[in-house]
Amino acid sequence: MDTLLQQLDENLKELYRKALDADALLEQLQQQGQAKYQAVFAKDAGFKVESNRFMPYLAETAEQIAAMRHSQQFNTATLQRVVQQLQLLHKTLAELRLAVKA
């Protein structure tokens, strides 16, 4: 279980910097009158939080990982949800970066 938690932590660390940069970019776009949307992810994307920035989604995922570490046990559904959230964050942040470069 320690190896799994370590891998999840590494994902969080990698996503943290990307999410900060993306949120700064989104703030800049919004100030320019662009980025007019209510939430980064749709309501059915697997997150409880709803935000027009990435950090709240990353925080939700980090809280779930911390809860798994604290309890030293988890069920498959929780792990599956966390992995899906991490994948979606990676994918969306990469797509945003490509869209900005284009």
Side-chain angles (χ1 to χ4, degrees):
M1 176 151 170
D2 288 340
T3 303
L4 175 63
L5 290 171
Q6 185 177 359
Q7 289 174 336
L8 294 173
D9 285 342
E10 288 173 16
N11 271 275
L12 289 175
K13 288 176 187 175
E14 183 180 338
L15 286 167
Y16 180 76
R17 185 73 237 169
K18 291 177 182 179
L20 281 179
D21 292 344
D23 284 354
L25 174 64
L26 292 173
E27 181 66 31
Q28 181 181 19
L29 290 172
Q30 195 168 31
Q31 289 177 359
Q32 296 171 359
Q34 300 172 348
K36 297 179 181 181
Y37 57 90
Q38 297 298 314
V40 173
F41 297 111
K43 291 182 181 187
D44 63 350
F47 292 96
K48 293 177 184 170
V49 71
E50 188 175 326
S51 176
N52 62 353
R53 298 294 184 264
F54 283 95
M55 287 306 289
Y57 295 102
L58 187 61
E60 178 183 322
T61 306
E63 287 172 11
Q64 291 179 62
I65 293 170
M68 289 186 333
R69 175 176 285 106
H70 180 71
S71 69
Q72 283 297 313
Q73 52 182 274
F74 56 89
N75 60 35
T76 304
T78 303
L79 178 60
Q80 192 172 27
R81 184 174 56 250
V82 166
V83 169
Q84 287 174 341
Q85 288 174 339
L86 289 169
Q87 289 173 335
L88 188 56
L89 284 162
H90 276 292
K91 179 180 180 260
T92 307
L93 286 165
E95 288 172 352
L96 176 64
R97 192 173 340 176
L98 286 175
V100 170
K101 288 183 181 180

